[in-house]
Amino acid sequence: MRRIFKLVFLFVGVVIGAGFATGSEIVLYFKNSGYISVVISGIIMGLLSIAFCYFGKLQSKYKIMKNLTKIVVFLSSIITYCIMISGTSELIYNQFGIKYFGIITGFVVAIIMLYDIRIIKILNLIIVPLIVLIMLVILIIGGGELYSGFDFSSSLKYAGMNMLLGGYFMSEEGCDLSHKQIVCSGVLVAFVMTLLMSICYVISMQSPAAGMPVFEVARSYGLGALAAIVVYLAIFTTLIGSGRAFADMILKFLPHKWIVFVLFFTLACYFDGLDFASLVAFCYGEIGEIGLIVCILIICNLIYNCITCLINKLKNKNNYLKSLI
């Protein structure tokens, strides 16, 4: 169970970045739908997590699909990293008046990239429950309401966007799990993501026009500093997750960690200070559609593998019966 929790919190930590924790993603995808869409999206993520774990077991069979997925994840991780840096800079400057915090955070993340993934799992095991706790405090104090409506396409696209990075880690880290562990991981992903998305949705819909809805609502109740902490923690977990995926790809071709360090720090210097809301609006919709396509292709691969295995079993059975005759 400890291994399952580490994997699930790794997934959650990777996907709940600045866009999620500030509420901007939730508003972008679910403003015109309703609460049921949020719940369905969480359930879809749980089911897709199971699919990605099984795909991880089959990656050696489908090298073309594996390489295509990694290219898409590589590009997505770069975009996510840059947007998180922008969100960090804007968040800390608005709340505390500190400049260049995106550069500082990028420097810290670049140092963490010099270590293996175990440190990321340990950090997420601590940070994710803390994020849930702080967001619950904001919800209890601020209140909110649920809105009716349902849009299945929004649920699918949002799940697809998160599965680009989250699915990458599920396939890489979950391929050695047993069938029971994979199912438990999927159920736990669905539960935690639905819980977090629901809290974020209720808070965000109180101020859907704001660039950072959760942050603005929390500030209106005198909880600006608390909201800044939860958003920064969420940004940090996604930064190290997207950074890990980004670094893994680079190190396969350029096995020198100092190159990764310099690249991460350079990107942090460039994207520190850029408008966060504009980057989210420009990039996240397209990422969701691309992620959905990747998920469909992976599911098709799994279905094809199941059909192939079934046909082979039937052939073996027929050959066995013929040999008896």
Side-chain angles (χ1 to χ4, degrees):
M1 286 304 297
R2 185 179 178 184
R3 188 178 180 186
I4 292 172
F5 273 103
K6 281 185 177 181
L7 177 58
V8 171
F9 286 164
L10 175 63
F11 174 92
V12 176
V14 165
V15 302
I16 56 167
F20 177 90
T22 59
S24 56
E25 280 179 12
I26 296 293
V27 171
L28 178 66
Y29 280 91
F30 302 111
K31 179 181 178 180
N32 297 320
S33 54
Y35 175 71
I36 299 299
S37 302
V38 175
V39 175
I40 295 299
S41 187
I43 294 171
I44 291 172
M45 275 185 245
L47 294 173
L48 288 174
S49 295
I50 295 173
F52 271 87
C53 284
Y54 280 114
F55 177 71
K57 291 178 176 292
L58 302 173
Q59 283 190 27
S60 59
K61 291 185 178 181
Y62 304 106
K63 291 185 178 180
I64 295 176
M65 185 60 200
K66 174 185 176 181
N67 293 332
L68 176 62
T69 302
K70 288 194 173 183
I71 290 171
V72 175
V73 169
F74 175 68
L75 296 174
S76 172
S77 63
I78 296 173
I79 295 170
T80 302
Y81 177 84
C82 295
I83 293 175
M84 295 303 106
I85 291 294
S86 171
T88 299
S89 176
E90 186 173 321
L91 171 75
I92 300 301
Y93 180 74
N94 287 343
Q95 179 60 34
F96 303 108
I98 302 173
K99 291 184 177 181
Y100 311 120
F101 209 79
I103 296 175
I104 296 170
T105 303
F107 179 77
V108 173
V109 172
I111 292 175
I112 292 175
M113 290 305 105
L114 302 177
Y115 299 91
D116 61 31
I117 199 169
R118 284 177 294 180
I119 190 171
I120 299 175
K121 290 180 180 178
I122 294 170
L123 284 171
N124 284 338
L125 205 58
I126 299 168
I127 293 174
V128 171
L130 186 59
I131 291 171
V132 176
L133 179 62
I134 295 175
M135 289 192 75
L136 276 172
V137 171
I138 296 172
L139 176 66
I140 292 169
I141 295 175
E145 60 180 296
L146 301 178
Y147 292 86
S148 60
F150 175 61
D151 181 6
F152 188 63
S153 65
S154 296
S155 302
L156 276 175
K157 288 178 182 178
Y158 189 68
M161 184 193 72
N162 285 315
M163 291 311 299
L164 272 179
L165 277 177
Y168 168 76
F169 284 103
M170 294 301 284
S171 63
E172 292 291 314
E173 299 295 319
C175 60
D176 296 326
L177 298 180
S178 66
H179 297 300
K180 184 177 180 181
Q181 287 174 320
I182 289 174
V183 172
C184 288
S185 297
V187 171
L188 197 54
V189 164
F191 174 75
V192 176
M193 286 305 300
T194 300
L195 175 64
L196 272 170
M197 290 165 62
S198 300
I199 296 171
C200 189
Y201 174 83
V202 173
I203 297 172
S204 299
M205 291 306 291
Q206 296 180 54
S207 184
M212 294 185 171
V214 171
F215 185 55
E216 291 302 320
V217 171
R219 278 211 300 191
S220 69
Y221 291 102
L223 301 172
L226 195 63
I229 292 171
V230 69
V231 173
Y232 182 76
L233 290 174
I235 289 173
F236 190 76
T237 57
T238 298
L239 271 171
I240 58 178
S242 60
R244 183 73 266 164
F246 184 13
D248 286 346
M249 307 296 177
I250 296 173
L251 290 172
K252 287 184 178 179
F253 300 97
L254 300 170
H256 301 287
K257 290 188 175 182
W258 65 268
I259 294 177
V260 173
F261 179 89
V262 171
L263 181 57
F264 274 54
F265 186 65
T266 302
L267 286 173
C269 291
Y270 181 81
F271 281 88
D272 182 283
L274 294 186
D275 185 62
F276 169 72
S278 298
L279 289 172
V280 169
F282 180 74
C283 298
Y284 275 22
E286 286 72 15
I287 292 176
E289 293 176 0
I290 294 170
L292 183 58
I293 293 171
V294 171
C295 291
I296 291 171
L297 290 173
I298 285 175
I299 290 171
C300 288
N301 271 268
L302 291 174
I303 293 172
Y304 173 77
N305 182 74
C306 289
I307 293 173
T308 303
C309 289
L310 182 60
I311 291 172
N312 289 334
K313 284 182 179 180
L314 290 173
K315 285 182 177 179
N316 291 334
K317 186 176 181 180
N318 288 333
N319 291 334
Y320 176 72
L321 291 174
K322 287 179 180 179
S323 66
L324 292 177
I325 296 172

